[in-house]
Amino acid sequence: MDITRNILHTMKRIAFLTPYKHLPNFKKNVESKYKCSDLSDLTELEQKYSIQTSDYLFSAPNYQKFQITDDFIKNTKISMVVSPSTGTNHIDVSIPVISIKNDKVLENIWSTAEHNLYLMLSLPRNTENIVELHEKTLGILGYGRLGKMIEHICKPIFKNVYTSDINYTDSQFFNETDFLSINVDLRDENIGMVDSKYISKFQKEIYIVNTSRGEIINELDILTLIDEDKIKGYATDVIQNEHSVKTSILLSIKNNKIIITPHVGGTALESQEKAYTRVIEKIN
């Protein structure tokens, strides 16, 4: 009994701002190694108060409604923020941040790529301009891990699939694309890159799907080009200012040419199990 009590006393504490108990394998594993607190149902203020004695903070962007800053963790024991994600724009702290960016586990996580396809299939039907994808060309902007997965899924569906790196684009990409899939990393040089100037390069009116980050897009330009029928429809799983008190302009618009899902691309249960498990492994 004393040994058990001593082990429990020395276990590190993880405060989960993200729900995790719906993942049975992960729950069993993490609770065997750490003292865990599920704070996901609390308000931001209640969470800030409740993390005082925790060692690590666990936060996924899919669930986070505010940005974690140094002020949020001030006067706590938190020494590290852990995120089962590739993007960490929901975190802005001076302590270490662990994520799964560039981790090999991503090679077996298909959730976002599949959500990308769901948005492609939904967009023409939502706009009441139903077309056969079998007759259309898909252009993928960003040929990294996610871009390659989308290419693999979509090649049997579309007539053609073209890919574009940020620094190089073949003329066919702009001449023939009907559906544009945005899958680039969020870096300073990519902020606002998909704007009216970029979209003017396309010879056709296009549908756009974004499962990257909202900051990649100039949202005001998107709305203008939808009104001008240069963009047939815009479907996105991400918006600007997703984790701040500001709001995206897209949220104030009611238009059947716009589909917004609440950053659920990566939330397939199997994908969460893999990502959550891997990022906890990386703590040590």
Side-chain angles (χ1 to χ4, degrees), residues 48-59:
K48 183 175 181 179
Y49 176 78
S50 301
I51 65 174
Q52 301 295 317
T53 60
S54 297
D55 299 286
Y56 310 128
L57 201 60
F58 189 103
S59 170

Side-chain angles (χ1 to χ4, degrees), residues 28-168:
K28 180 180 179 180
N29 181 50
V30 74
E31 289 182 351
S32 69
K33 299 174 182 177
Y34 299 93
K35 298 184 75 173
C36 302
S37 302
D38 185 351
L39 311 179
S40 59
D41 288 334
L42 303 182
T43 66
E44 179 181 348
L45 185 61
E46 289 171 334
Q47 288 177 338
K48 183 175 181 179
Y49 176 78
S50 301
I51 65 174
Q52 301 295 317
T53 60
S54 297
D55 299 286
Y56 310 128
L57 201 60
F58 189 103
S59 170
N62 317 75
Y63 297 94
Q64 196 61 42
K65 301 304 181 186
F66 61 91
Q67 189 175 52
I68 298 170
T69 62
D70 283 329
D71 182 66
F72 182 77
I73 60 174
K74 185 170 61 176
N75 300 323
T76 72
K77 292 173 55 183
I78 300 294
S79 61
M80 183 183 301
V81 180
V82 182
S83 183
S85 60
T86 55
T88 56
N89 58 321
H90 61 298
I91 304 168
D92 184 16
V93 294
S94 54
I95 60 174
V97 176
I98 291 181
S99 73
I100 56 170
K101 185 175 177 63
N102 299 324
D103 194 283
K104 279 197 170 185
V105 72
L106 293 166
E107 296 174 3
N108 197 32
I109 293 180
W110 289 83
S111 182
T112 302
E114 292 173 357
H115 188 70
N116 212 94
L117 176 59
Y118 160 76
L119 292 176
M120 290 178 194
L121 293 169
S122 300
L123 195 50
R125 286 158 173 76
N126 201 67
T127 61
E128 299 180 356
N129 184 23
I130 302 174
V131 295
E132 291 184 352
L133 302 192
H134 182 71
E135 296 296 325
K136 301 300 178 183
T137 293
L138 170 64
I140 300 173
L141 175 60
Y143 196 53
R145 188 258 325 177
L146 188 54
K148 291 173 182 174
M149 284 183 164
I150 292 168
E151 179 187 37
H152 177 79
I153 290 173
C154 291
K155 265 194 170 181
I157 299 173
F158 283 86
K159 181 179 180 180
N160 298 301
V161 177
Y162 295 127
T163 61
S164 169
D165 202 351
I166 294 171
N167 299 317
Y168 174 76

Side-chain angles (χ1 to χ4, degrees), residues 17 21 56 83 87 92 96 105 120 139 145 160 171 205 207 210 222 241:
L17 305 186
K21 293 183 179 179
Y56 310 128
S83 183
D92 184 16
V105 72
M120 290 178 194
R145 188 258 325 177
N160 298 301
S171 60
E205 299 169 354
Y207 295 95
N210 182 14
I222 292 290
N241 308 314

